[in-house]
Amino acid sequence: MKKTVKRDLFPGALEMMILQSLRRQPSHGYALVQHIKRTSHDLLQIEEGSLYPALQRLLKEELVKAEWGVSATNRRVRIYKLTAAGAKHLEREVSSFERMLEGIAHVLAPGES
């Protein structure tokens, strides 16, 4: 039997992925989950219980906006769009993440002291 390892994302990771996905194109929640899953090569599985609270935080901070629309399956859905403030926030967060990742890579590099 294959054991599934559940790993939590670091704080802010989900929000960055949502904002980056919305930079690509406005989307509804299910489409965001599918895009993240597909682009991560099925390594990341976002649960609704994490996605919708993150979207609400982003709406409250005015990093995204939402309007009602119709999905490809003809269902009424909220379509989320990146705001200008959201795009600027994403740039800052990605830059900070890249610096953190570089630091971690240095610490984990073999032979470094």
Side-chain angles (χ1 to χ4, degrees):
M1 185 161 105
K2 184 178 177 183
K3 184 176 181 179
T4 303
V5 177
K6 183 176 179 355
R7 298 190 187 262
D8 292 330
L9 297 171
F10 65 87
L14 177 56
E15 287 82 354
M16 268 196 300
M17 291 187 294
I18 291 169
L19 294 173
Q20 181 63 33
S21 297
L22 293 176
R23 174 181 271 172
R24 190 182 119 268
Q25 74 179 38
S27 298
H28 56 84
Y30 180 75
L32 284 168
V33 167
Q34 294 305 306
H35 177 258
I36 292 169
K37 181 179 177 185
R38 185 176 57 255
T39 56
S40 73
H41 303 284
D42 294 330
L43 293 172
L44 301 173
Q45 310 255 341
I46 307 303
E47 303 293 329
E48 285 183 27
S50 299
L51 177 71
Y52 290 103
L55 284 167
Q56 290 304 311
R57 287 190 299 275
L58 294 170
L59 281 166
K60 185 176 180 181
E61 295 172 19
E62 298 182 351
L63 301 177
V64 301
K65 61 184 178 178
E67 57 188 42
W68 289 103
V70 179
S71 72
T73 58
N74 208 30
R75 296 182 66 174
R76 190 167 184 250
V77 293
R78 279 186 97 177
I79 306 292
Y80 298 91
K81 296 180 181 182
L82 184 67
T83 64
K88 288 178 184 174
H89 178 80
L90 176 61
E91 286 179 27
R92 287 189 306 271
E93 291 298 306
V94 168
S95 177
S96 176
F97 171 73
E98 287 171 343
R99 284 191 310 275
M100 180 184 66
L101 191 57
E102 182 181 1
I104 291 170
H106 288 302
V107 172
L108 295 178
E112 292 291 316
S113 55

